């Protein structure tokens, strides 16, 4: 019993990231006039669970995941600094 039907999950296609830097996978560069949403899930940074974020392009149908980050050792106190630095660098 999953939120998303198993057939839909199996139909998903994987794509190689255009850039990969440690724990950051970027699939597309930001585009002018596009709107993006970032979701963040913070872990304790003790190697047991991952802090993650996803950036979704909401300007296209269907929505498109354009960036993923995951790290199981980053401190929750450092994650916001990393996010801010990434946004300044990318945007």
């Amino acid at each position: 019993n999953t939120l998303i039907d198993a057939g839909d999950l199996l139909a998903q296609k994987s794509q190689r990231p255009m850039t990969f830097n440690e724990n950051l996978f970027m699939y597309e560069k930001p585009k002018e006039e596009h709107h993006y949403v970032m979701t963040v899930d913070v872990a304790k940074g003790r190697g047991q669970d991952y802090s993650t974020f996803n950036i979704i392009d909401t300007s296209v149908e269907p929505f498109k995941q354009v960036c993923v980050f995951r790290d199981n050792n980053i401190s929750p106190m450092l994650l916001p600094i990393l996010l801010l630095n990434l946004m300044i660098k990318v945007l």
Side-chain angles (χ1 to χ4, degrees), residues 10-22:
L10 291 171
Q12 300 295 312
K13 296 179 183 174
S14 65
Q15 179 182 348
R16 289 183 185 238
M18 63 178 232
T19 62
F20 168 71
N21 185 1
E22 292 186 35

Side-chain angles (χ1 to χ4, degrees), residues 44-60:
K44 294 180 180 179
R46 297 181 185 156
Q48 300 168 342
D49 192 13
Y50 285 86
S51 289
T52 65
F53 69 76
N54 290 279
I55 300 177
I56 310 294
D57 183 350
T58 59
S59 302
V60 295

Side-chain angles (χ1 to χ4, degrees), residues 7-77:
D8 291 334
L9 291 173
L10 291 171
Q12 300 295 312
K13 296 179 183 174
S14 65
Q15 179 182 348
R16 289 183 185 238
M18 63 178 232
T19 62
F20 168 71
N21 185 1
E22 292 186 35
N23 300 317
L24 181 71
F25 302 83
M26 186 167 270
Y27 297 95
E28 248 182 43
K29 290 185 178 182
K31 297 177 182 174
E32 292 279 333
E33 304 298 320
H34 278 230
H35 298 278
Y36 298 91
V37 172
M38 176 186 282
T39 61
V40 181
D41 182 13
V42 182
K44 294 180 180 179
R46 297 181 185 156
Q48 300 168 342
D49 192 13
Y50 285 86
S51 289
T52 65
F53 69 76
N54 290 279
I55 300 177
I56 310 294
D57 183 350
T58 59
S59 302
V60 295
E61 291 271 338
F63 296 159
K64 191 173 195 180
Q65 183 180 42
V66 295
C67 186
V68 177
F69 171 85
R70 65 181 286 210
D71 188 330
N72 65 349
N73 290 310
I74 189 166
S75 162
M77 301 302 287

Side-chain angles (χ1 to χ4, degrees), residues 30 38 80-91:
M38 176 186 282
I81 296 166
L82 176 110
L83 293 173
L84 180 62
N85 287 339
L86 176 68
M87 292 301 105
I88 290 170
K89 181 181 175 182
V90 171
L91 301 175

